[in-house]
Amino acid sequence: YSAMKKSILFIFQAIAIIIATTLYCSSVVIMMLLMRSKTIFFPMCRSWSRVLLAISGVKVNIIGDVDLPPKTSCVYVCNHASLFDIPVLFAYLPDYVRIMYKRELRKIPIMGWTLAVSPFIPITRADGRDAMRSVNESIEAVQHGESVIVFAEGTRSQDGSLGEFKRGAFMVAARSRKAIVPVTLIGTSTILPKKKLYFNGGTVTMVINSSVTLGDEPNKQQENEARLAVHAIIADNLENLNN
């Protein structure tokens, strides 16, 4: 495609995404208010994610699988390089998964309303007490059968490189006595290049590694060892599988 054709295609794709997202968000709010059950959110979120990826021309190649017993919740720890990380995870992880999000996103029309009624966990990063409340809510969610996704770097990478992991995800795993499943996403950062008005369709790779456990009575040292081990797994995947 020429640059002009890419831009025209992007306009149609962007319009389709806006329409799909608006319909999805409206349907979620209505369904959840009528049914008064948050479980309806997860399959609807999975469907919306797959539609979004299809419109953008993105396919997902999955390597590995979750080695946990059926209906066992866990803490997914993932690298974070793109806004497209989230729909890829929601579309193809085999669990009902919750995620933390910035509380200020609730101010976005329509989507913010959806977040407000969703089972996702809001967090105000500058407020230490609120951050701890979010950690405690994540622990409770995992203990009650829902898995949690944590981007352990704390923010999106600006250049695709893997940053240092923060403690939160490993604290959740330790206190909930749940396993950590490392997930590596490769290729999401190129779907929508910075300052470009087009989508790069193609294949994104999602690597799901075997789970990492912290033992029956985990302490801070074991948390730190798990943090370093999971970081090494994801770094190795990025180095060896990123073509």
Side-chain angles (χ1 to χ4, degrees):
Y1 288 110
S2 66
M4 181 173 290
K5 286 183 178 179
K6 282 186 175 182
S7 296
I8 293 172
L9 178 60
F10 174 80
I11 292 172
F12 283 105
Q13 289 173 311
I15 291 172
I17 289 172
I18 291 170
I19 292 172
T21 301
T22 301
L23 290 173
Y24 160 75
C25 291
S26 302
S27 300
V28 166
V29 172
I30 293 170
M31 291 292 289
M32 292 181 69
L33 290 175
L34 289 176
M35 299 182 68
R36 298 190 180 279
S37 171
K38 292 190 175 183
T39 56
I40 190 64
F41 179 84
F42 297 106
M44 294 183 74
C45 186
R46 179 170 290 130
S47 298
W48 168 79
S49 297
R50 293 190 176 187
V51 168
L52 177 62
L53 295 173
I55 292 172
S56 305
V58 176
K59 296 181 180 180
V60 179
N61 175 42
I62 301 173
I63 300 175
D65 201 358
V66 179
D67 62 346
L68 299 170
K71 298 183 180 180
T72 299
S73 57
C74 64
V75 179
Y76 291 101
V77 173
C78 186
N79 61 307
H80 195 19
S82 168
L83 290 174
F84 274 85
D85 295 339
I86 294 172
V88 169
L89 293 167
F90 287 154
Y92 291 101
L93 285 179
D95 286 345
Y96 282 178
V97 288
R98 297 175 69 176
I99 193 169
M100 297 180 188
Y101 68 91
K102 293 185 292 185
R103 191 181 297 272
E104 54 263 35
L105 293 178
R106 287 187 175 184
K107 297 177 182 179
I108 301 174
I110 302 178
M111 180 172 285
W113 306 338
T114 307
L115 289 172
V117 299
S118 78
F120 293 166
I121 302 167
I123 182 171
T124 305
R125 290 180 180 173
D127 187 335
R129 287 180 299 179
D130 187 67
M132 184 53 64
R133 181 200 61 78
S134 300
V135 168
N136 290 333
E137 188 172 344
S138 297
I139 292 169
E140 183 179 351
V142 178
Q143 288 176 330
H144 286 80
E146 296 169 351
S147 294
V148 175
I149 299 170
V150 182
F151 296 114
E153 297 159 278
T155 188
R156 273 183 292 153
S157 170
Q158 296 299 312
D159 58 5
S161 61
L162 187 65
E164 182 180 352
F165 282 180
K166 300 186 184 303
R167 184 188 172 199
F170 307 93
M171 184 189 304
V172 171
R175 296 189 181 181
S176 63
R177 302 294 196 272
K178 295 292 183 176
I180 300 164
V181 176
V183 179
T184 310
L185 295 180
I186 301 169
T188 54
S189 61
T190 62
I191 295 173
L192 182 59
K194 291 181 180 179
K195 300 181 181 179
K196 300 292 184 182
L197 293 178
Y198 60 82
F199 291 114
N200 274 326
T203 301
V204 166
T205 299
M206 180 167 73
V207 185
I208 305 176
N209 283 95
S210 297
S211 59
V212 175
T213 57
L214 283 78
D216 294 331
E217 297 293 335
N219 51 41
K220 286 187 178 181
Q221 180 179 345
Q222 290 173 314
E223 283 182 31
N224 189 54
E225 290 172 354
R227 180 176 63 85
L228 296 174
V230 173
H231 188 281
I233 289 169
I234 294 177
D236 186 65
N237 289 335
L238 289 171
E239 181 178 354
N240 294 321
L241 298 174
N242 200 355
N243 296 322

